[in-house]
Amino acid sequence: MAECGAQGEVTQRRPSVKEAPDGELTECPTEERQQKDRDEHEALVLWKKPVQTLYYFTLELLVTLNSWISRLWRQRQTALGLLILLIFFVTAYRVEGAHQKYVRYMETKTLWCAYWVGLGILSSVGLGTGLHTFLLYLGPHIASVTLAAYECGSVDFPEPPYPDQIVCPASGSDAEQVSMEAAGAAALQGTVSLWTIVSKVRLEACMWGAGTAIGELPPYFMARAARLSGADPDDEDYQRFEEMLDQAESEQDFATRAKVAVQKLIQKVGFFGILACASIPNPLFDLAGITCGHFLVPFWTFFGATLIGKAVIKMHIQKLFVIVTFSKHIVEQMISLIGAVPLLGAALQKPFREYLEAQKAKLHHHTGEGIPTEENWLSWLFEKVVVIMVCFFVCSIVNSMAQSHAKRRRQEKRSGSKAE
């Protein structure tokens, strides 16, 4: 813990000084109080104080719901219009008629888009661990569609079961299937182009990119509100951002200087600076929302550039990379190269080749037929890791809301004591 200062000097952040009997300066009460608040803040988590954390979380949830209800009441005309529109959609969904096929189609597409938008939002927050959902969901989905397109010679996968399960289109008879396979890979690749696969996965990729752009909005609004009100929000990223602005350039490391350069580019260039930073896989874009909010960049300038960069430009770059990487001839070359590894090559090549052949066999089964469901330890482990991360993400939300309520109680208590 820092001390007030030597020789009777007191810094601006430590206005209170307490003198000991021997004449030496002791630590500031303000600094002690801040340290105590920080310790209580860090200790209020589920694995240390589960009962108190859940209690504070419940109270904060009630406060949040009350705030939302108040805002909804102030916007009651808009809420009434949305309620009427919702009643109309529910009626159209329930009433039988010729319109039902369009309703079912819209329902399927809406849920599919919402799924990928949600994954994009989770990617921005990192599931509480900084993990990117592109590596968990979107990348494997694009890879599976790419492998299936080259194997089937088409992207006209029947719906259903696609996208839950990819099945090659029926070819009329088994004899025709055999003759098509005997025609060779060249004939298959002639019917499937790179842009055909890009078009097939464009909806999922763009929705995921739009979700990542939406995930940048909470830091933007938080920093904007803090700048306009002059308050100091209890947010680690915002505190790091202010420390970077106050830190001398000579004391900054390479990563900090790179982030500051991105922030200066966004501040000076505006729309096109944000677009350039959002259009490439950029790990330095994590503080972009805080930067734009702190410097009061207009909302549509920030969100429009971020949406175009992430959902259109960046997603096409990532799609092309995955599609090219998992093209049929490249995958076969990779398996051949694995087999060329001395001593361990054959042992490593066998499971990859068996897995690839099993996936190809699944693509050619007929709808309604049973599919071999051999348990794969890798898929089992992947599912458990995802479940653990989701649980950790939920726990981090509970902890954050409980800590916010504890901070509110401390502020209210101190405001009441000052008023007395």
Side-chain angles (χ1 to χ4, degrees):
M1 188 182 297
E3 295 181 352
C4 291
Q7 299 178 359
E9 294 182 358
V10 182
T11 59
Q12 293 181 355
R13 298 197 177 200
R14 302 171 177 84
S16 301
V17 179
K18 187 177 181 179
E19 189 171 347
D22 56 0
E24 294 181 357
L25 294 177
T26 61
E27 294 175 339
C28 300
T30 302
E31 189 71 17
E32 293 177 357
R33 186 183 63 187
Q34 291 177 353
Q35 184 63 36
K36 182 180 178 182
D37 292 344
R38 192 178 300 114
D39 293 339
E40 293 178 355
H41 182 85
E42 295 175 354
L44 192 61
V45 290
L46 284 171
W47 44 89
K48 291 183 179 180
K49 299 179 179 179
V51 177
Q52 186 178 8
T53 302
L54 290 175
Y55 175 68
Y56 280 3
F57 165 74
T58 304
L59 295 179
E60 182 67 14
L61 184 61
L62 293 176
V63 171
T64 304
L65 290 176
N66 184 48
S67 175
W68 287 353
I69 292 174
S70 300
R71 293 181 182 179
L72 196 62
W73 177 253
R74 290 194 295 267
Q75 302 290 334
R76 50 185 175 275
Q77 294 181 349
T78 303
L80 180 61
L82 293 176
L83 180 61
I84 294 174
L85 189 63
L86 179 62
I87 294 174
F88 172 78
F89 280 120
V90 171
T91 304
Y93 184 80
R94 295 292 183 181
V95 176
E96 297 294 335
H99 65 283
Q100 279 298 320
K101 60 179 181 180
Y102 303 105
V103 172
R104 301 299 178 188
Y105 176 81
M106 290 299 300
E107 178 189 14
T108 303
K109 288 298 181 183
T110 301
L111 293 177
W112 185 239
C113 292
Y115 172 76
W116 289 109
V117 170
L119 287 177
I121 296 174
L122 290 177
S123 183
S124 293
V125 300
L127 283 175
T129 61
L131 190 63
H132 218 259
T133 55
F134 180 89
L135 301 176
L136 293 175
Y137 296 99
L138 184 58
H141 174 73
I142 297 175
S144 63
V145 171
T146 302
L147 293 173
Y150 282 107
E151 175 65 21
C152 301
S154 171
V155 294
D156 296 327
F157 311 131
E159 296 187 43
Y162 177 80
D164 297 328
Q165 175 189 329
I166 298 178
V167 179
C168 288
S171 58
S173 66
D174 294 338
E176 293 179 2
Q177 178 99 14
V178 172
S179 63
M180 183 184 71
E181 293 177 357
L188 290 177
Q189 293 179 359
T191 60
V192 176
S193 66
L194 179 68
W195 301 111
T196 304
I197 304 175
V198 168
S199 300
K200 185 67 175 178
V201 296
R202 179 177 290 120
L203 177 64
E204 296 90 331
C206 289
M207 290 297 103
W208 183 88
T212 60
I214 296 173
E216 300 290 346
L217 292 181
Y220 168 83
F221 286 121
M222 178 269 299
R224 183 181 178 88
R227 181 66 183 274
L228 292 175
S229 64
D232 185 17
D234 186 16
D235 185 82
E236 294 181 0
D237 291 335
Y238 190 78
Q239 292 174 0
R240 278 194 295 123
F241 170 77
E242 289 191 327
E243 290 174 358
M244 287 169 52
L245 294 180
D246 296 337
Q247 193 175 12
E249 186 174 353
S250 59
E251 300 175 358
Q252 295 174 352
D253 55 10
F254 176 77
T256 303
R257 287 198 298 268
K259 289 185 178 181
V260 171
V262 171
Q263 292 164 3
K264 290 181 178 179
L265 176 65
I266 291 174
Q267 183 184 359
K268 293 180 179 179
V269 183
F271 179 89
F272 293 101
I274 302 171
L275 180 64
C277 294
S279 298
I280 57 175
N282 183 6
L284 304 178
F285 197 75
D286 57 347
L287 296 179
I290 295 178
T291 302
C292 294
H294 180 81
F295 293 110
L296 302 181
V297 174
F299 170 76
W300 286 112
T301 300
F302 166 69
F303 184 66
T306 305
L307 183 63
I308 295 173
K310 287 182 172 290
V312 180
I313 302 176
K314 178 184 173 183
M315 281 318 306
H316 278 81
I317 296 174
Q318 292 177 305
K319 276 191 300 182
L320 290 173
F321 175 79
V322 175
I323 291 172
V324 170
T325 303
F326 285 89
S327 297
K328 185 175 182 179
H329 60 285
I330 294 181
V331 172
E332 292 176 349
Q333 289 177 1
M334 291 173 59
I335 295 178
S336 300
L337 290 175
I338 292 175
V341 176
L343 300 178
L344 300 176
L348 293 174
Q349 186 185 43
K350 183 178 179 181
F352 281 101
R353 191 175 295 279
E354 290 179 351
Y355 177 78
L356 185 61
E357 294 299 329
Q359 296 303 312
K360 290 181 179 180
K362 289 181 181 181
L363 296 173
H364 292 294
H365 88 286
H366 298 289
T367 305
E369 292 182 354
I371 306 176
T373 56
E374 299 179 358
E375 185 68 21
N376 190 323
W377 66 270
L378 189 60
S379 62
W380 179 87
L381 182 62
F382 173 78
E383 292 176 358
K384 298 303 180 288
V385 170
V386 171
V387 170
I388 292 173
M389 287 190 302
V390 171
C391 293
F392 181 81
F393 178 61
V394 173
C395 290
S396 66
I397 293 177
V398 174
N399 294 336
S400 177
M401 293 184 67
Q403 291 167 0
S404 298
H405 188 78
K407 181 182 178 182
R408 179 183 288 107
R409 288 168 68 101
R410 287 195 299 267
Q411 291 176 344
E412 291 176 352
K413 183 178 180 180
R414 288 167 187 166
S415 298
S417 62
K418 288 180 181 180
E420 294 176 357

